Amino acid sequence: MQVLVKLDELIGQREAEIEARATAATSRPKGLGALTERIIENEVLDWTRFNNRRQVSSYTGLCPSEHSSGGRRRQGGINKHGNPRLRHALVESVWRFIRLQPGWKRLLKVVERLKGDGGRAPANKKKIAVALARELAVDLWRLNTGRSTLEALGLIAAKTAA
């Protein structure tokens, strides 16, 4: 029991250290906590190594697999060739973004696409979350390389400057 208590204290200390290294809440989107933000940053290391959004998506492993031949094109499930910790953190963040970022442009685009499906059955919620996780990775790349701002992406800052 004493070992478990010590481990719990140690985990709490490590989480506090990691959160202390996170960026300011005014430059971080609401729904992306300090710990999750640091996990994503530690897994990516350098956002500038990606030249375009396709490279970012490919690194996450959230791209659909492809089974194409001739004139036929068929996409399957995600290929999972990327970083599993990054993939997990992004999907976890998306569930919070759905609730806390109602004006996120990527979310609004998906909602519009679902409304315009002509009465077909809506897609699986998990598939939608994975697609949004890929979009979140691209948006984080745009934010961290200065290609865009929170406002331009339709995101709200975690805390507004006082």
Side-chain angles (χ1 to χ4, degrees):
M1 190 67 168
Q2 292 175 345
V3 172
L4 290 176
V5 170
K6 287 275 192 197
L7 279 174
D8 193 41
E9 290 173 3
L10 186 62
I11 290 170
Q13 290 172 356
R14 296 292 185 240
E15 284 180 358
E17 289 173 12
I18 291 170
E19 289 174 0
R21 286 187 256 146
T23 58
T26 55
S27 61
R28 187 175 63 235
K30 187 176 186 179
L32 187 66
L35 185 61
T36 306
E37 189 246 350
R38 285 311 311 158
I39 289 169
I40 291 171
E41 291 296 320
N42 288 342
E43 294 303 323
V44 173
L45 295 177
D46 183 18
W47 289 100
T48 60
R49 67 183 166 151
F50 302 115
N51 296 323
N52 55 49
R53 61 186 174 80
R54 288 188 316 262
Q55 289 178 349
V56 176
S57 299
S58 180
Y59 181 73
T60 63
L62 292 168
C63 294
S65 59
E66 185 93 19
H67 305 283
S68 302
S69 177
R72 183 181 64 98
R73 181 174 183 227
R74 186 171 153 245
Q75 291 184 324
I78 61 170
N79 60 24
K80 296 186 182 179
H81 283 221
N83 187 321
R85 281 185 226 106
L86 178 61
R87 203 169 36 251
H88 176 79
L90 288 168
V91 171
E92 176 187 323
S93 297
V94 161
W95 289 111
R96 283 181 269 158
F97 267 57
I98 289 171
R99 199 169 21 105
L100 299 172
Q101 296 279 2
W104 184 30
K105 288 185 178 182
R106 309 293 177 241
L107 178 61
L108 295 175
K109 189 169 124 182
V110 168
V111 169
E112 281 301 313
R113 192 171 54 209
L114 289 175
K115 284 181 182 176
D117 269 352
R120 291 190 330 205
N124 186 340
K125 289 181 197 177
K126 291 180 182 178
K127 286 182 183 179
I128 293 169
V130 167
L132 286 171
R134 182 175 51 248
E135 297 291 338
L136 176 60
V138 172
D139 283 352
L140 290 175
W141 168 70
R142 288 179 176 140
L143 284 173
N144 287 306
T145 56
R147 286 176 168 80
S148 190
T149 63
L150 286 172
E151 296 79 28
L153 296 170
L155 296 170
I156 304 165
K159 290 184 183 172
T160 55

